[in-house]
Amino acid sequence: MNRLDFAPLGFGVGLRRPHYEPILDAHPTMDWFEVISENFMVEGGRPLQILEDVRAHYPIVMHGVSLSIGSSDPLNRTYLDALRSAACRFEPAWVSDHLCWTGVGGRNLHDLLPLPYTEETVRHVAERIRQVQEILERRILIENVSSYMEFRSSRLEEWEFLTAVAEEADCAILLDINNIFVNAFNHRFDALRYIDAVPADRVAQFHLAGHSDHGSYLLDSHDHPIRAEVWALYQHAVRRFGRVPTLIEWDDNIPDFEVLAAAAAEARRRCDLVLAPERLHATG
Ligand SMILES: [Fe+2]
């Protein structure tokens, strides 16, 4: 259990539209679902009915894509009020978003854009996370994003930046293992070094996903099965961070629900293997 005392939810998958029907019809076995916050920050209608049904049967967490915590625009109070009321309504185990910016000058670019890794950015982002946590009246999780370029002005390694922001904001970390793998390839760093440097007591959730290989770079496309090397990195992370709630993300070429459920089961199996190998061997 991490120091920040988030619920030990187990192994879940992202709630995606093609699976609404099988989930609502049969309520299949699943520890928890992660939902995209913005899809449910609405006044009424079918999305809310769907989430109410899902929430009646499963724990959920809310994962946002538009907080734009790194932007130089003022925090969007309308957005935060809507997020706050959605969180009050659906009582997620936690709320998360990304360590990035998604727009400036009031425009949303709908992309998770990287930040310069500097002390100045740490202070800027940490202060904004603190304000968000005050408004939402809860500690949030911030996620490391995949990236395809770097700023010349960066003075910190990516993991130093993530750590400094989390420490200064006193927030938790959603560690995306696939994003670490993708960035390690794209920016030529050691993924194990990244995982070994992140403060263990702040890591409250893992993401696992598939990416696409474009030869000279990897793209975090969430449209493939999880690659063997990412599973291996996950096991390294479990060895260091323990039984952290783990979520399978799949956003394009979405397969049948059973495929996602099998990936969540595989995460559980690998976690058990790392944490209790003797017992597993004894029981076959
Ligand atoms: Fe992720």
Side-chain angles (χ1 to χ4, degrees):
M1 170 73 81
N2 57 77
R3 173 171 67 80
L4 302 176
D5 216 21
F6 287 98
L9 291 188
F11 302 83
V13 304
L15 181 69
R16 299 294 180 264
R17 201 157 281 128
H19 301 145
Y20 285 174
E21 224 177 87
I23 292 168
L24 296 180
D25 285 354
H27 299 126
T29 304
M30 183 54 62
D31 289 351
W32 57 290
F33 287 99
E34 183 182 78
V35 307
I36 301 298
S37 309
E38 288 80 0
N39 291 347
F40 305 96
M41 288 161 56
V42 288
E43 291 294 321
R46 188 160 153 70
L48 297 188
Q49 292 166 10
I50 288 166
L51 192 51
E52 252 159 30
D53 185 295
V54 170
R55 182 66 188 93
H57 293 86
Y58 306 92
I60 64 158
V61 308
M62 292 178 61
H63 184 52
V65 292
S66 300
L67 180 60
S68 200
I69 199 70
S71 177
S72 53
D73 278 354
L75 284 171
N76 183 339
R77 192 59 209 235
T78 311
Y79 174 89
L80 286 168
D81 288 344
L83 179 57
R84 187 188 146 99
S85 21
C88 287
R89 177 169 188 160
F90 293 108
E91 298 181 329
W94 56 80
V95 173
S96 63
D97 206 295
H98 301 82
L99 183 53
C100 71
W101 60 290
T102 59
V104 72
R107 290 185 61 195
N108 189 344
L109 302 168
H110 300 287
D111 233 326
L112 307 173
L113 301 164
L115 291 158
Y117 305 143
T118 65
E119 292 295 344
E120 185 187 4
T121 319
V122 169
R123 284 192 297 276
H124 172 70
V125 176
E127 171 55 29
R128 285 161 65 91
I129 293 174
R130 283 188 174 279
Q131 288 175 37
V132 168
Q133 293 183 140
E134 254 170 51
I135 293 166
L136 299 180
E137 293 181 276
R138 59 171 72 221
R139 182 178 275 123
I140 64 167
L141 280 63
I142 49 159
E143 177 183 357
N144 56 302
V145 296
S146 60
S147 62
Y148 310 92
M149 51 78 72
E150 292 174 292
F151 290 93
R152 278 206 192 94
S153 55
S154 285
R155 292 292 174 268
L156 303 168
E157 300 289 357
E158 185 187 323
W159 55 90
E160 293 172 335
F161 178 70
L162 173 66
T163 299
V165 169
E167 298 283 1
E168 196 161 323
D170 194 18
C171 70
I173 294 172
L174 194 182
L175 201 61
D176 189 310
I177 306 296
N178 180 58
N179 287 350
I180 293 177
F181 184 84
V182 163
N183 285 4
F185 181 89
N186 290 348
H187 306 308
R188 307 280 185 264
F189 63 71
D190 179 0
L192 297 177
R193 195 173 162 212
Y194 191 130
I195 286 178
D196 291 346
V198 173
D201 56 1
R202 292 200 177 269
V203 175
Q205 185 190 339
F206 291 141
H207 268 171
L208 287 170
H211 59 260
S212 44
D213 190 337
H214 294 256
S216 60
Y217 69 98
L218 303 181
L219 184 67
D220 179 34
S221 46
H222 294 188
D223 60 352
H224 280 68
I226 297 158
R227 198 164 139 174
E229 293 93 327
V230 175
W231 279 122
L233 203 53
Y234 173 62
Q235 288 183 228
H236 182 83
V238 169
R239 216 166 284 129
R240 171 155 158 71
F241 302 111
R243 200 177 180 83
V244 172
T246 300
L247 192 283
I248 310 296
E249 295 185 292
W250 209 314
D251 294 297
D252 223 339
N253 295 328
I254 297 177
D256 288 346
F257 181 76
E258 290 69 28
V259 175
L260 268 79
E266 177 64 9
R268 186 195 310 275
R269 191 188 72 79
R270 286 176 184 261
C271 186
D272 289 344
L273 196 66
V274 169
L275 297 179
E278 303 81 9
R279 187 172 55 80
L280 281 185
H281 286 176
T283 56

